[in-house]
C-alpha cells in the first residue's frame, strides 16, 4: 500500500510540474537549441560522402527521418532546459543548476556527434561521443529524479533516443 501512495504522489508531482511549465520560455530555448543543432549540421558537411562510402545498417533510419528526429530532439532538450530554468518554484531553482549543467554538457557533446560522423566519417568516435552524452544524461536523470519528476520522464525519453543513436553509430562502425 505504501508503494502505491508513493507512485500516486510521484504522479501528483508530475501534474503539478506540468501546470507550472512556462511554454513560451521553453519554446524559445528549444528554438535556440535547434539553431545550434543546424549550425552543427552545417559545420559537419554534406551527407553524400557517407551515403556513398558507408553501407547502412538495417536498423538505420533514412536520412530525412533522422534529420527530422534529431531536430525534434534538439527542440525537446531546449524545452527541457527552458523548463528547468524558468518553470521552477523559487525554492527549487537552486536544485536545478546541477541537472542543467549535466544537460548542457550532454547537449554540447551531442552537438559534436554530427560533425564527427559526417565530417570526418568516423562512426566509432561518434559512438564514443554518444556514450559520453549518455553518461551525462544518466547523471542528469539521477539529479532530477527526486525534485523534478516530469523532467526526469522527459530525460528518460531523450536517453532512449541517444541509446538508439549510439547503437546505430556502433552498427555503422561494425558494418563498415
Amino acid at each position: 500500500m505504501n508503494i502505491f501512495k508513493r507512485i500516486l504522489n510521484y504522479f501528483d508531482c508530475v501534474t503539478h510540474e506540468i501546470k507550472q511549465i512556462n511554454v513560451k520560455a521553453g519554446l524559445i530555448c528549444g528554438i535556440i537549441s535547434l539553431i545550434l543543432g543546424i549550425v552543427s549540421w552545417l559545420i559537419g558537411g554534406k551527407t553524400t560522402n557517407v551515403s556513398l562510402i558507408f553501407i547502412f545498417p538495417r536498423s538505420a533510419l533514412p536520412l530525412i527521418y533522422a534529420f527530422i528526429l534529431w531536430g525534434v530532439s534538439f527542440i525537446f532538450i531546449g524545452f527541457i532546459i527552458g523548463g528547468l530554468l524558468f518553470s521552477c518554484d523559487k525554492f527549487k531553482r537552486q536544485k536545478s543548476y546541477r541537472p542543467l549543467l549535466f544537460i548542457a554538457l550532454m547537449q554540447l557533446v551531442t552537438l559534436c556527434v554530427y560533425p564527427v560522423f559526417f565530417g570526418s566519417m568516423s562512426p566509432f568516435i561518434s559512438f564514443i561521443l554518444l556514450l559520453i552524452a549518455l553518461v551525462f544524461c544518466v547523471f542528469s536523470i539521477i539529479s532530477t529524479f527526486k525534485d523534478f519528476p516530469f523532467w526526469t520522464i522527459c530525460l528518460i525519453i531523450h536517453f532512449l533516443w541517444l541509446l538508439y543513436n549510439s547503437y546505430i553509430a556502433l552498427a555503422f562502425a561494425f558494418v563498415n
Side-chain angles (χ1 to χ4, degrees):
M1 200 65 158
N2 193 12
I3 294 173
F4 293 119
K5 285 183 182 180
R6 285 186 182 186
I7 292 172
L8 289 175
N9 188 21
Y10 191 78
F11 284 115
D12 285 340
C13 291
V14 169
T15 57
H16 177 69
E17 244 180 293
I18 289 173
K19 290 176 185 176
Q20 288 185 333
I21 292 175
N22 187 349
V23 177
K24 186 185 285 185
L27 287 177
I28 289 172
C29 289
I31 290 171
I32 291 170
S33 178
L34 178 64
I35 290 170
L36 289 173
I38 291 172
V39 167
S40 78
W41 293 344
L42 294 175
I43 291 171
K46 296 182 180 179
T47 61
T48 55
N49 293 338
V50 170
S51 61
L52 290 175
I53 295 172
F54 286 156
I55 299 170
F56 279 70
R58 290 182 188 218
S59 58
L61 291 171
L63 286 176
I64 188 69
Y65 296 134
F67 279 123
I68 291 170
L69 287 175
W70 270 106
V72 169
S73 168
F74 287 136
I75 292 172
F76 190 64
I77 281 297
F79 191 78
I80 292 171
I81 290 171
L84 282 171
L85 272 177
F86 302 112
S87 298
C88 298
D89 292 337
K90 187 184 209 180
F91 305 106
K92 278 188 169 182
R93 187 150 306 163
Q94 292 289 337
K95 296 178 182 180
S96 71
Y97 294 134
R98 185 185 309 160
L100 282 171
L101 175 68
F102 290 137
I103 291 170
L105 290 172
M106 173 190 65
Q107 191 66 7
L108 183 67
V109 172
T110 304
L111 288 172
C112 296
V113 169
Y114 183 87
V116 168
F117 190 85
F118 289 104
S120 65
M121 290 190 289
S122 55
F124 188 71
I125 295 174
S126 64
F127 168 71
I128 292 171
L129 287 173
L130 283 166
L131 282 181
I132 293 169
L134 280 169
V135 168
F136 284 130
C137 189
V138 167
F139 287 160
S140 63
I141 288 170
I142 290 170
S143 62
T144 60
F145 183 75
K146 190 173 183 179
D147 299 317
F148 306 103
F150 177 70
W151 302 118
T152 304
I153 293 170
C154 293
L155 284 169
I156 289 171
I157 292 169
H158 189 70
F159 174 82
L160 294 174
W161 172 246
L162 287 176
L163 190 67
Y164 168 75
N165 283 299
S166 63
Y167 167 73
I168 293 298
L170 186 64
F172 266 100
F174 281 148
V175 168
N176 298 299

